[in-house]
Amino acid sequence: MRATDADPPDLVLRPAEPADLVEIGELFWAARVAAAPAMPSPMHPRSDVLAFYSAIDLADGRETWVAEDAATARLLGFAEVKREWLDDLYVLPAAQGRGVGSALLDLVKGLRPDGFGLWVFASNAPARAFYARHGLVEHETTDGSGNEERAPDVRLEWPGR
């Protein structure tokens, strides 16, 4: 059965805790690898990604939220907001298409009712379509010279209520 054919999980959306950081790193890695070639492959080895996520200070101005399967307590996705930017929104590949990303995005809209922006790779058509379905508007396209991957990207905004 494909993930999109399954019933949506009962989700718990909650702030991330230090004990979640390794699992968040694993989730990020799995989502990025599975998204290729729509997204550039990760720039750093898995061990570096896990070390980075393990060392995150959750009290440094970032708001990291997780979507957890209520039945299993497994993390299915996470979102990270810094000031007026949605820096990350990733969903475990097996849980994609089941409402996890939508629930996280709706949470971010509630956290930032006056609006927020984000960047997405221009090549990531599934993500661009997802954000368009949720009312985000594309405002700027770059050649990618400002990102680590050097891949063209698009700035999107949710204008708020």
Side-chain angles (χ1 to χ4, degrees), residues 88-114:
D88 292 308
L89 194 158
Y90 288 95
V91 175
L92 197 64
Q96 291 175 3
R98 297 174 56 200
V100 177
S102 295
L104 285 165
L105 187 58
D106 287 345
L107 172 71
V108 173
K109 287 178 177 180
L111 294 170
R112 298 294 186 274
D114 294 328

Side-chain angles (χ1 to χ4, degrees), residues 47-108:
S47 59
D48 289 357
V49 169
L50 296 180
F52 170 80
Y53 277 96
S54 296
I56 285 176
D57 179 359
L58 293 171
D60 75 347
R62 73 182 69 223
E63 295 175 58
T64 305
W65 289 78
V66 297
E68 181 179 81
D69 184 311
T72 66
R74 182 176 188 199
L75 297 189
L76 300 179
F78 76 97
E80 182 177 271
V81 185
K82 292 181 191 170
R83 294 175 294 284
E84 302 308 317
W85 288 96
L86 173 56
D87 277 357
D88 292 308
L89 194 158
Y90 288 95
V91 175
L92 197 64
Q96 291 175 3
R98 297 174 56 200
V100 177
S102 295
L104 285 165
L105 187 58
D106 287 345
L107 172 71
V108 173

Side-chain angles (χ1 to χ4, degrees), residues 3 9 40 44 61 84 95 97 99 111 114-115 128 132 134 137 147 153 160-161:
H44 303 280
E84 302 308 317
L111 294 170
D114 294 328
R128 292 172 74 177
H134 289 279
V137 178
N147 65 49
D153 53 5
R161 298 178 199 167

Side-chain angles (χ1 to χ4, degrees), residues 1-51:
M1 175 183 344
R2 296 177 324 134
T4 54
D5 295 335
D7 290 332
D10 287 329
L11 295 177
V12 174
L13 301 177
R14 62 171 176 79
E17 301 170 354
D20 298 321
L21 294 176
V22 171
E23 194 172 358
I24 289 171
E26 291 282 9
L27 193 155
F28 170 87
W29 181 261
R32 282 295 301 264
V33 169
M39 282 180 74
S41 296
M43 295 294 297
H44 303 280
R46 181 177 166 271
S47 59
D48 289 357
V49 169
L50 296 180

Side-chain angles (χ1 to χ4, degrees), residues 132-153:
R133 282 193 310 274
H134 289 279
L136 281 82
V137 178
E138 295 186 2
H139 282 282
E140 173 186 9
T141 302
T142 77
D143 64 3
S145 60
N147 65 49
E148 185 176 40
E149 293 83 356
R150 300 293 185 242
D153 53 5

